[in-house]
Amino acid sequence: MTKEIRNFKHLLGKLEGITDAQLEAHFGLYEGYVKKLNEIEEKLQKADRSLTNYSFGEFAELKRRYSVPYNGSWLHELYFDNLIAKGSPSKKFEELATKNFGSFDAWKADAKATGLAVPGWVVTAIETTSGRLQNIQLMEHHIGLPVNHIPVLILDTWEHAFFLDHKANRGAYIDVFFKNINWDVVNERLEKATR
């Protein structure tokens, strides 16, 4: 099944501290992940499974790399979807932040520290077995997300998300990101994750 490239141009001109040039560059990177995912899926259908083993084989290598463009495309979509300043954190989000971090501000400080510590992703997620709210680091796109976690807020901390606007100042970008959260989307994800 071919994954379609989603159009996020509705974000242009709507974000504080993230320019249209930065967004356009970021959209192009996202599109590359979708195209590569489709290419790998097509090649997987044709690969000779009988020639594969742990050491090497086209099928094995395609399987090993599959999650990079898969997560790269989906994480970008979740990230773009939770942009455009709208709404405010729900009572449930604030309660979970307070329960698991001490306060909403402490959750935010932890999310920022998590983002400063990783060139990759920060995923604020619900752990399904405990209902705990956590900030998870993802290295690349496919390394680090524990099982039993449902993403509710996605922060892209790769340089491609901010370098045109903020150079190497990841912290300034993270501060801008917090101003652009679409809390309506985050709150809806949280409701679904905690049903």
Side-chain angles (χ1 to χ4, degrees), residues 64-68 71-72 75 121 138-145:
R64 282 187 189 104
R65 297 307 295 174
Y66 178 82
S67 60
V68 174
N71 284 359
L75 284 165
W121 299 87
L138 284 183
M139 298 298 290
E140 293 194 43
H141 306 305
H142 64 301
I143 300 171
L145 184 63

Side-chain angles (χ1 to χ4, degrees), residues 60-109:
E61 292 308 308
L62 290 167
K63 281 289 193 179
R64 282 187 189 104
R65 297 307 295 174
Y66 178 82
S67 60
V68 174
Y70 183 89
N71 284 359
S73 61
W74 285 103
L75 284 165
H76 277 98
E77 289 177 4
L78 291 168
Y79 167 77
F80 293 136
D81 281 339
N82 64 210
L83 291 177
I84 291 189
K86 194 172 184 188
S88 57
S90 66
K91 183 176 180 183
K92 182 182 272 189
F93 190 96
E94 289 185 339
E95 287 172 354
L96 284 168
T98 299
K99 179 180 177 184
N100 294 283
F101 294 91
S103 69
F104 177 82
D105 288 338
W107 161 78
K108 190 174 174 182

Side-chain angles (χ1 to χ4, degrees), residues 174-192:
I174 293 172
D175 291 339
V176 163
F177 169 81
F178 284 127
K179 294 177 182 178
N180 288 290
I181 294 173
N182 185 330
W183 283 105
D184 291 351
V185 167
V186 174
N187 295 335
E188 183 179 335
R189 290 176 186 163
L190 180 64
E191 283 302 315
K192 287 180 183 175

Side-chain angles (χ1 to χ4, degrees), residues 28-67:
L29 186 99
Y30 151 72
E31 291 170 10
Y33 285 119
V34 175
K35 289 174 184 174
K36 198 51 73 174
L37 173 62
N38 290 333
E39 179 185 333
I40 289 175
E41 286 188 342
E42 184 180 323
K43 287 182 178 184
L44 276 169
Q45 291 181 16
K46 298 173 185 171
D48 186 344
R49 287 153 178 77
S50 69
L51 299 176
T52 196
N53 60 52
Y54 180 71
S55 297
F56 181 76
E58 180 185 23
F59 181 79
E61 292 308 308
L62 290 167
K63 281 289 193 179
R64 282 187 189 104
R65 297 307 295 174
Y66 178 82
S67 60

Side-chain angles (χ1 to χ4, degrees), residues 140-171:
E140 293 194 43
H141 306 305
H142 64 301
I143 300 171
L145 184 63
V147 295
N148 298 335
H149 283 72
I150 300 173
V152 295
L153 177 66
I154 305 294
L155 166 59
D156 188 343
T157 60
W158 286 97
E159 290 83 357
H160 66 250
F162 61 87
F163 198 81
L164 291 178
D165 293 334
H166 301 283
K167 304 301 179 234
N169 192 342
R170 183 177 277 118

